[in-house]
Amino acid sequence: FGSQNSAIFFAKSSTGLPGSWENEGLVTSTSSSNNYNAIDPNLYIEGNNWYLSLGSFWTGIKLMTLSSSTGKPTSTSVTSLAQRTANSGAIEASVIYKFGNYYYLFSSWDTCCQGTSSTYNIRVGRST
């Protein structure tokens, strides 16, 4: 916990059953030389376009465009979606959802996994 030495891999299955998954390899990774963390991925698919939101703490939530045929990034470009400076930058676990003409970004804030002392909460932002 608290390390930027993280990686996201791609696995696929035609059934979703145990033992049916195939490792398709590394999607992205980070180290201490990056200003974000490759953790908490969420795949958003719109038509033939694949987008991966990811990130936790440091400089927040990022977005990458993936190839729908390989599941790998189409470029080295990483777009910043949200950042928090309060509470040590505690923002993570993003989910993108589209309803009508708007995109919504859900993210988790504050401290999880502390039992009754947890302050975890979910925030949402909407595109204009």
Side-chain angles (χ1 to χ4, degrees):
F1 183 79
S3 168
Q4 288 166 279
N5 295 324
S6 306
I8 296 169
F9 286 81
F10 178 50
K12 70 178 183 179
S13 168
S14 59
T15 65
L17 294 173
S20 68
W21 293 90
E22 295 178 37
N23 181 356
E24 298 295 320
L26 180 70
V27 175
T28 190
S29 64
T30 53
S31 68
S32 59
S33 66
N34 297 102
N35 69 356
Y36 65 99
N37 199 5
I39 194 168
D40 292 342
N42 182 76
L43 181 64
Y44 174 75
I45 300 173
E46 184 172 19
N48 291 326
N49 299 311
W50 285 22
Y51 304 96
L52 187 71
S53 65
L54 64 142
S56 175
F57 288 75
W58 284 279
T59 59
I61 306 301
K62 307 298 182 191
L63 184 77
M64 296 179 160
T65 303
L66 304 181
S67 164
S68 60
S69 59
T70 66
K72 305 296 171 68
T74 58
S75 75
T76 58
S77 176
V78 177
T79 302
S80 237
L81 295 181
Q83 182 176 3
R84 185 169 182 220
T85 55
N87 198 18
S88 301
I91 183 172
E92 60 188 358
S94 62
V95 173
I96 298 172
Y97 178 76
K98 185 177 183 186
F99 184 76
N101 293 322
Y102 296 103
Y103 294 89
Y104 296 84
L105 177 66
F106 293 82
S107 60
S108 298
W109 288 32
D110 296 327
T111 307
C112 83
C113 315
Q114 302 297 316
T116 58
S117 297
S118 295
T119 57
Y120 225 34
N121 61 95
I122 297 172
R123 307 286 176 105
V124 63
R126 184 185 85 176
S127 67
T128 56

